[in-house]
Amino acid sequence: MRDPEEELSQLQSSGLLRHLRRIESPQGIRVKLSGVGECLNFSSNDYLGLSTDDSLKSLYQKHIGHYGVGSGASRLVCGTMAVHLELEEKLAALKHTGAALTFTSGFATATGVLPALCGKDDFLILDKLCHASLIDGARLSEATLRVFPHNDLDRLQSHLEWASERVGAGGRILVVTESVFSMDGDLAPLDEICDLKERYRALLLVDEAHAFGVLGPGGRGLGAEPGVEGRIDLQMGTFSKAVGLSGGYLCASRSIVDLLINRARSFIYTTAPPPALAATLRDALDLVCGPRGDALRDDLRRNRETFSADSTSAIHPVIIGDNEAALAASARLLTLGFLVPAIRFPTVPKGSARLRVTLSAAHHFEEILSLKSALAQLASTR
Ligand SMILES: *Cc1c(COP(=O)(O)O)cnc(C)c1O
């Protein structure tokens, strides 16, 4: 039988062993790291700084006072409370879709939605850099899978052509991509992807995990941009990043959402999110997609421009290549007081280990400048 110790030492020798970092303070721009002390956090997805926002904290406390702390059952048993439906109605209204469904996480959304919509008669076509949750959802589906090189429209088209020649009358072709890619921070050409999926009568799912609350009109994601709005069949995302709380969502037509309620196993066979969380999310959407959100997005945009003239999102990779070198760079930054994670295989392709800098609306101008000079110093000594 395989010895787990041996597997761990193999991970260690290839520079791929991972450890949990222990944070002693609440989340924020400054966190207290166990054994290190206070450092500046450039690794969180809390893009608007809302995870510790005073107004959301007091709303959450108020809702806990009313609803308590748990939900008691799954959504289909007796766990669906008015607030879950209010949250979903608000989200559908914001996204201009017929309906919306919420899940316990973005991961659960992806692994529930793809197998619920696609089976062995169907075709799933994914961007090569899609998030692990989408890949796992695709694998669970038993559909025929095709992967196109990142943002490669010619290859997407040839896969669509290939699938459309094979799909039966009752079959389905679903294209899956992200609007902002999680490890590169670049954007998908959604307009052209919509043109292609329409030409081949395929459906399109776009994961907006890193865009919702950050980009697009009113922070509603890149699926809300003119030219694309109304054309994306399934808009997926998470409340765990810019919205500052947790949970996942899927916005689509009423019939797709009703089908998911009947078939998505990660929705059906899990306890409903606590109602106090759903109520806080409902309130948080007003904040994120309203004037306060706009002001925070302005702060974030200024910070992005300070960091890089060609910033496209809040995510800025610094590609290093080698695993050990990326780890060493991250460790060096930590000694200078900056928490910037090294990202390695299998999160990113082999040979493209990197530092992943994420910016928040809550960073200060000087903090970003000091990180930039530390990175420049690092590059010159490497
Ligand atoms: C973070 C992320 C998810 C998962 O969302 P959680 O709510 O954290 O489970 C899904 N897709 C992408 C692209 C992500 O970056």
Side-chain angles (χ1 to χ4, degrees), residues 45 47 104-110 129-134 178 180-183 207-210 236-241 245-249 315 356:
N45 301 317
Y47 299 124
T104 48
S105 69
F107 197 98
T109 309
L129 295 188
C130 276
H131 189 260
S133 59
L134 297 165
E178 299 178 14
V180 172
F181 281 83
S182 55
M183 294 300 142
D207 184 348
E208 297 248 48
H210 296 277
M236 184 193 132
T238 176
F239 302 124
S240 62
K241 287 164 181 158
L245 287 117
S246 81
Y249 69 79
I315 303 165
R356 177 178 181 263

Side-chain angles (χ1 to χ4, degrees), residues 307-346:
F307 187 78
S308 160
D310 33 53
S311 161
T312 52
S313 72
I315 303 165
H316 301 83
V318 180
I319 309 285
I320 294 189
D322 178 64
N323 293 329
E324 302 287 1
L327 285 174
S330 175
R332 173 86 188 111
L333 285 174
L334 200 54
T335 65
L336 300 172
F338 302 101
L339 176 54
V340 181
I343 310 281
R344 294 160 284 164
F345 178 81

Side-chain angles (χ1 to χ4, degrees), residues 216-288:
R220 290 181 292 121
L222 293 176
E225 293 280 10
V228 183
E229 167 118 82
R231 299 171 75 196
I232 299 172
D233 308 277
L234 302 123
Q235 301 183 47
M236 184 193 132
T238 176
F239 302 124
S240 62
K241 287 164 181 158
V243 183
L245 287 117
S246 81
Y249 69 79
L250 194 280
C251 295
S253 67
R254 183 76 252 170
S255 52
I256 285 181
V257 167
D258 286 342
L259 196 58
L260 294 173
I261 292 171
N262 283 273
R263 288 221 189 116
R265 295 169 67 84
S266 65
F267 174 83
I268 299 170
Y269 298 106
T270 196
T271 299
L277 171 59
T280 312
L281 284 169
R282 177 200 59 194
D283 302 343
L285 290 182
D286 288 332
L287 190 163
V288 168

Side-chain angles (χ1 to χ4, degrees), residues 10 38 66 124 135 140 150 243 249 322 348:
Q10 274 165 14
E38 190 180 89
H66 182 70
L124 267 169
I135 295 169
L140 279 171
H150 180 47
V243 183
Y249 69 79
D322 178 64
V348 294

Side-chain angles (χ1 to χ4, degrees), residues 193-223:
I193 292 175
C194 281
D195 290 345
L196 282 174
K197 69 98 185 176
E198 282 159 10
R199 185 169 341 150
Y200 292 94
R201 297 162 183 258
L203 298 173
L204 173 63
L205 180 148
V206 176
D207 184 348
E208 297 248 48
H210 296 277
F212 186 59
V214 178
L215 298 174
R220 290 181 292 121
L222 293 176

Side-chain angles (χ1 to χ4, degrees), residues 293-311:
D294 288 335
L296 291 171
R297 277 182 288 282
D298 282 344
D299 293 344
L300 177 57
R301 192 174 316 111
R302 263 194 299 278
N303 284 344
R304 286 167 40 200
E305 286 163 5
T306 302
F307 187 78
S308 160
D310 33 53
S311 161

